[in-house]
Amino acid sequence: DIQMTQSPSSLSASVGDRVTITCRASQDIRNYLVWFQQKPGKAPKSLIYAASTLQSGIPSKFSGSRSGTDFTLTINSLQPEDFATYYCQQYRDYPLTFGGGTKVEIK
Amino acid sequence: EVQLVESGGGLVQPGGSLRLSCAASGFTFSDHYMDWVRQAPGKGLEWVGRSRNKANSYTTEYAVSVKGRFTVSRDDSEDSLYLQMNSLKTEDTAVYFCARATYSGGHWALDHWGQGALVAVSS
C-alpha cells in the first residue's frame, strides 16, 4: 500500500497568516493527489485535485504543489472559516490512502 | 443539486451484520464511480471501497482492512449505493460516508459527500 505521511499533525496560526501543510508519499504517485478540508461534524470537502488544480468554487487562496513525492497545500491569508482539519489522499493506486490529517487551530 | 443521503446505521454486536444505503439525487448516478469512506471517532479518514460504473462492469475495490467482510454494490435503477458489512469488529465503529467520484482529464476527485451514517459495534 502507498503510505501518505502528513505533517504537521497540528498547527496554531493567526487570522491573516499563511500556512503550509506537507504530505509525503511512500512511492511515486505522480500528481495523483487530492486535498480535503473537514470541519467538525461535517463531511470532507474537496479543495484541490491533480495536486494543484482547484476544485470548482474553491477560492484561489488555496494552492497545491508537488516536488517529487512531496506535496504541499498552502493557505494564504487565513480566515476564521479556514480553521479545520486538512487531509491529503492519493489515487495513484488501490487501496486509496489518506494522510493522517493536519488540524489548523486558532492561535 | 447533488445530494447523497446515507441510512441504515446503528448499534450492532461484534460478529453481526449491517447494510448501509446511500440514496443519490441531482446527477446521473449510473455514470459515476461511488466510494465509501469511514472515520472512527476522533480519528482520520479511511477509504473503504469503490464501485465502478456499468461501463466498467460494476467492478469493485476494497481496503485491506475490510476485504472479504464488506461488499459494495449499487442499483442504478434506484440511484442507490450499498455497503454490506459482515463479521463486524469493534474497530469498524465509525461514521461511514458515501462519496461521488468524478473523473476529469485523467484525474479523480471525491467531489460530493453525504452527511454520514454512524455504525457502532459493541456488545
Side-chain angles (χ1 to χ4, degrees), chain A residues 4-82:
Chain A
M4 304 301 296
T5 303
Q6 200 171 329
S7 61
S9 56
S10 65
L11 64 90
S12 295
S14 301
V15 172
D17 282 355
R18 176 184 182 184
V19 301
T20 299
I21 298 167
T22 297
C23 202
R24 173 169 289 174
S26 61
Q27 63 190 74
D28 181 19
I29 60 168
R30 297 165 66 178
N31 63 337
Y32 295 115
L33 185 109
V34 181
W35 288 100
F36 294 95
Q37 175 194 68
Q38 187 181 32
K39 296 181 180 179
K42 300 293 186 182
K45 178 180 180 181
S46 176
L47 300 175
I48 287 170
Y49 67 97
S52 61
T53 302
L54 278 179
Q55 196 70 249
S56 175
I58 301 301
S60 58
K61 62 188 297 184
F62 293 95
S63 63
S65 64
R66 172 203 174 196
S67 176
T69 58
D70 291 338
F71 299 83
T72 299
L73 173 69
T74 300
I75 311 170
N76 288 306
S77 186
L78 206 62
Q79 296 301 304
E81 62 269 22
D82 302 327

Side-chain angles (χ1 to χ4, degrees), chain B residues 22-123:
Chain B
C22 172
S25 60
F27 66 102
T28 304
F29 179 77
S30 58
D31 286 347
H32 286 265
Y33 290 17
M34 296 293 297
D35 285 16
W36 288 99
V37 175
R38 69 183 180 182
Q39 187 168 37
K43 302 297 184 181
L45 300 171
E46 180 186 15
W47 178 79
V48 172
R50 167 167 287 183
S51 167
R52 294 184 178 88
N53 56 14
K54 181 179 181 180
N56 290 278
S57 305
Y58 297 125
T59 52
T60 54
E61 302 285 349
Y62 296 95
V64 172
S65 58
V66 306
K67 200 167 186 178
R69 299 188 299 123
F70 289 12
T71 302
V72 180
S73 63
R74 62 195 292 162
D75 183 340
D76 288 353
S77 69
E78 295 288 334
D79 290 344
S80 292
L81 179 74
Y82 304 102
L83 181 66
Q84 178 66 44
M85 302 181 289
N86 298 330
S87 303
L88 281 160
K89 306 175 182 180
T90 55
E91 53 264 41
D92 295 319
T93 294
V95 173
Y96 285 73
F97 298 98
C98 68
R100 184 183 83 167
T102 293
Y103 184 77
S104 175
H107 290 273
W108 289 98
L110 298 181
D111 60 352
H112 287 276
W113 295 62
Q115 83 289 349
L118 177 62
V119 173
V121 184
S122 174
S123 54

